Amino acid sequence: FNEDTGVDGKPYTQKTDMAMCDELGPKYDYMMEYVMEAGNTSLCNVVDGNGCDDRSLKYLEKLRAKSRVEKEEQLKRLEGMEGSSMKVELKDWLKTRKRLLKSMLADHDEL
């Protein structure tokens, strides 16, 4: 659980018509996707790019050229878009960009 989901955590919404034990089993990546989605986290390392998909890597390259203030403004802009109506894929990409930005801003603070 986290601040957004509370102590009960987030319910799982099935992505396929398979039995849940099969869908979340070792043959598929749905369990990892669910953990990242529910935990609002990512395996993508913003420092060295390990674990990042191509789309995230391209986004990180754009972010590296921006100042801290520009990154914070971008995060505010994305947070403002959260309530908007959009396709599931776009909503997922919005969440991914927010996670990457937050992680990059946190890494900036540690340096």
Side-chain angles (χ1 to χ4, degrees):
F1 68 91
N2 62 31
E3 183 178 299
D4 295 331
T5 63
V7 294
D8 292 332
K10 182 177 179 181
Y12 179 70
T13 303
Q14 284 192 255
K15 312 257 190 250
T16 70
D17 58 356
M18 293 186 280
M20 191 179 297
C21 59
D22 292 330
E23 183 173 293
L24 296 175
K27 293 182 183 178
Y28 305 99
D29 292 333
Y30 292 114
M31 176 60 88
M32 189 63 74
E33 288 176 21
Y34 170 64
V35 170
M36 290 189 301
E37 179 185 313
N40 197 26
T41 188
S42 174
L43 294 177
C44 178
N45 185 323
V46 298
V47 175
D48 61 16
N50 283 338
C52 302
D53 60 14
D54 290 338
R55 191 175 191 187
S56 296
L57 286 171
K58 289 177 186 174
Y59 185 66
L60 288 173
E61 283 304 312
K62 286 183 186 179
L63 289 179
R64 286 189 182 103
K66 296 184 181 291
S67 70
R68 177 175 182 76
V69 171
E70 290 173 313
K71 291 173 191 167
E72 289 170 345
E73 288 171 354
Q74 176 73 356
L75 182 58
K76 275 186 185 179
R77 186 182 78 79
L78 293 174
E79 287 172 342
M81 294 171 59
E82 279 185 304
S84 302
S85 175
M86 60 183 81
K87 293 181 182 178
V88 173
E89 296 85 19
L90 292 176
K91 191 169 277 196
D92 289 344
W93 178 232
L94 175 79
K95 289 177 184 178
T96 298
R97 288 182 291 167
K98 280 181 50 189
R99 284 192 296 263
L100 294 173
L101 268 166
K102 286 179 180 179
S103 183
M104 192 171 254
L105 286 167
D107 282 349
H108 186 273
D109 288 342
E110 292 174 6
L111 297 176

